[in-house]
Every structure is written in structure tokens, then in C-alpha cells.
Amino acid sequence: MHCDTISELQRTGTAENLLENHLCVDMEGMKCAGTMVQFFACFVDGKEYVEGKPVWVSKHRQIDPGAWDYAYISVLNMIKRIRQEENEELCLAKNYKEIQENHQKGLISAIATVEEGGVLNGHMERLTELYDKGIRLVTLTWNYENCLGYPNSRDHSVMSQGLKKFGLETVEHMNTLGLMVDVSHLSDGGFWDCIRHSKAPVVASHSNARALCGRPRNLTDEMLKALSEKGGVAGLNFYPAFLQEEEERVTVQDIARHAAYMMKVAGEDVPAIGTDFDGFQCKGVSGYILGPGEMEQVWEAMKKQGITERQIEKIWSGNALRVMKEIL
């Protein structure tokens, strides 16, 4: 349900593509994993679009509004890049029916997403444009305050902040259009606003259990239960720092541990696969999963954790497909 491969490929220009690159995600790896659907994030770091050195205009690390307009153009270019990456084995899908049709043809479906709702910059018409161009999920915030709300933070005064008025209006319009509301990276206050106000299931595309790893990016037990009651899912994040406090000691068994914990707390309909491939590096970690071609390690770890074949099938595809069928 999440990878940063497209934004990384965009940095390389035309030197690399999904057929051949130095990154985690490529066609060979996806085929090896038996991938049915891959979400490709059009990710932007707002501070990269600020002229000169970023100046934080509030303690919440809020980007100069003008930068978001340039970031929006970058997102549009990344959507074009996803289209350019389509090939005989990969095709962009815009709804559940197209996912099923692609699967029957032996094709991998690409779902285009936006990671950083700040690119809307208060312009609701941009959300409609993004939908028309194929975007089907929006991660409302990344690591900065934006026009929608506030990011996850160790600062309680930030973490407790909810969605702004425009953020609430955006969630409502996303429901109307058929866009998945993604709460990964969002403040706790914003998470609860999404649960209360969204008329459709809410997803955390790449987040783990906070009880097992206390990073604010992860979800509390109460959040996991709320996702379950809302009919949503949490995509397991493979970033070592979100799995294990001592990240240099992480193993694939930690991924299985988080999956089992999510099921214990919130039921077997909650965990899905998020990965966050190409959104992190594993410095100092040896023998850890490096891409979708090594996903068999994860399934074996889940079996060792006592997760059944039926439950693995739900984590592997069933839970995410259920949500996509309802929203898309």
C-alpha cells in the first residue's frame, strides 16, 4: 500500500525505470513476489520547494505556502511518470474492477497516490484534478503542518491538534470522489477527526503498532481498534525504526510480530502490507528484506509467529482489496 519508488526514479530523470534500477522496487521483484497491486506514492518534501533555506513560520514546521504550488507541479509530473512506466506487465488501475481485470490478464495494477496533502494549498479544485488524473489515495500530511492539519510529533501540543477546516472539507470531498483517506504521518488529533468525519473506511497505508515500537508514527491500540470498527486497514511498515526500538537489531520476525499484535488487538481484518520500500535505508542492518522479491521471508516469519495460512492471505491481499472494493 506504499512505496516511494516513483519519487526516487523522478530524481534520476530517465537514467532508470521500473524495468531496471538500483532501488528496492522493480518489475522483476514484483513479479517474483506475485504482486497483484502496488501503490506508488507521488511524494514531495515541501522544504525542497522553498527558495533558499527553509524558514519555519511556526513551531509546527509549517512550509512557506508558496512552496506548495511548486510541489503540486512536481506531483503532476510524477503522475505522468507513472503513466510512462506502464508496460506489458504493469498497468495503472483507477478502480476495483480494473484491478480485477488486470489480474485476470496477468498484469500488475499500479495505484497512484499522493503523499503530502499540503500540495492542495487550500485549493479544493486540485483534489478533483488529481482524481481525474488517476490519484486514488491521499496521505493527508507528511512531516509538516499544512493546509489540512498537523503531522505526528513527540510534541503533545502538535500531536493533539486536529484537522483544520479545509482538512475536514477535504475528507468530505475525498469521500464523495472515491479517494482513500490515508492517516499515516497524521497527528493523533487528525486521526480521530478522520475516524469521526469520514463516511468511508480510513487507512493507514504504512504504519505499525505503537505498543511494540513507541514512535509517534505508529498507531496506538485504540487507533487500531478504531480502524477496525471503521472497516479500514493498517499497512505494515518495514522501516526498521518503526518496528524495533533498537533498529539495528531488526529482523523480518519483527514485521510478523507487529502483524500478530494488530490482529490480537483489533482483529484479523486490520493488517495489510505497506512496506514503505524506497522510503528508507537500512544502514547497519544486515540480512534484512531489501525488496518485494524477498517477500517470502515475511510469509515464513508470519508462519513462525503462529499466523495461519488463511490469516496470511488476508494480510497478503484480502484486507486491502476489501477496502479498495468499497471505496474505489
Side-chain angles (χ1 to χ4, degrees), residues 49-321:
Y49 299 87
V50 177
E51 292 186 16
K53 186 178 180 181
V55 176
W56 305 120
V57 298
S58 78
K59 66 179 180 179
H60 307 308
R61 291 168 60 86
Q62 184 180 22
I63 298 293
D64 183 335
W68 292 122
D69 294 335
Y70 293 107
Y72 181 67
I73 294 171
S74 183
V75 164
L76 296 179
N77 288 333
M78 278 185 260
I79 296 172
K80 292 179 183 178
R81 179 63 183 257
I82 294 174
R83 283 291 195 183
Q84 292 168 0
E85 294 290 345
E86 288 184 296
N87 56 56
E88 295 179 352
E89 297 172 296
L90 178 82
C91 184
L92 184 69
K94 296 181 180 179
N95 55 55
Y96 181 78
K97 181 183 177 185
E98 290 180 356
I99 292 170
Q100 295 298 325
E101 290 174 348
N102 287 342
H103 185 56
Q104 291 171 4
K105 296 175 184 176
L107 300 173
I108 297 170
S109 289
I111 299 292
T113 77
V114 169
E115 185 178 26
E116 178 50 278
V119 298
L120 299 180
N121 205 15
H123 301 285
M124 193 64 75
E125 66 273 13
R126 289 185 181 178
L127 188 66
T128 303
E129 181 180 18
L130 290 172
Y131 178 84
D132 290 342
K133 290 183 178 297
I135 294 297
R136 289 299 179 266
L137 174 148
V138 176
T139 309
L140 301 185
T141 61
W142 189 56
N143 290 346
Y144 314 117
E145 178 187 347
N146 64 24
C147 58
L148 305 178
Y150 302 82
N152 69 91
S153 173
R154 294 190 182 279
D155 184 338
H156 179 72
S157 67
V158 178
M159 193 63 142
S160 62
Q161 294 280 351
L163 294 180
K164 299 178 181 179
K165 182 176 182 292
F166 183 73
L168 294 171
E169 293 170 352
T170 297
V171 168
E172 181 180 354
H173 195 40
M174 289 175 71
N175 287 166
T176 300
L177 289 171
L179 277 161
M180 302 174 79
V181 177
D182 182 15
V183 297
S184 284
H185 287 282
L186 191 60
S187 66
D188 285 3
F191 172 93
W192 290 111
D193 275 345
C194 288
I195 292 294
R196 284 189 291 266
H197 292 278
S198 178
K199 294 181 176 62
V202 171
V203 305
S205 65
H206 54 307
S207 296
N208 296 329
R210 202 179 296 179
L212 298 186
C213 183
R215 305 280 181 143
R217 267 283 283 106
N218 289 335
L219 304 169
T220 66
D221 289 4
E222 292 73 20
M223 289 175 168
L224 289 168
K225 292 173 185 176
L227 274 182
S228 176
E229 292 169 2
K230 196 76 176 177
V233 294
L236 293 158
N237 192 324
F238 293 5
Y239 183 16
F242 300 152
L243 288 165
Q244 166 76 262
E245 298 288 354
E246 299 179 73
E247 56 185 284
E248 68 279 358
R249 299 178 59 183
V250 75
T251 70
V252 290
Q253 203 62 46
D254 288 303
I255 300 171
R257 191 167 60 99
H258 278 261
Y261 185 83
M262 286 181 182
M263 290 195 294
K264 177 183 176 181
V265 169
E268 61 186 34
D269 292 335
V270 168
I273 299 298
T275 80
D276 202 9
F277 282 142
D278 292 316
F280 62 89
Q281 295 180 340
C282 292
K283 294 180 180 178
V285 179
S286 60
Y288 188 60
I289 184 170
L290 298 176
E294 300 176 2
M295 286 295 288
E296 189 65 31
Q297 294 181 43
V298 179
W299 314 137
E300 292 302 319
M302 287 185 178
K303 291 174 186 176
K304 289 180 182 178
Q305 195 71 32
I307 300 173
T308 68
E309 291 278 0
R310 181 183 59 79
Q311 290 169 330
I312 289 173
E313 187 63 27
K314 281 191 165 188
I315 298 169
W316 171 234
S317 62
N319 291 340
L321 285 172

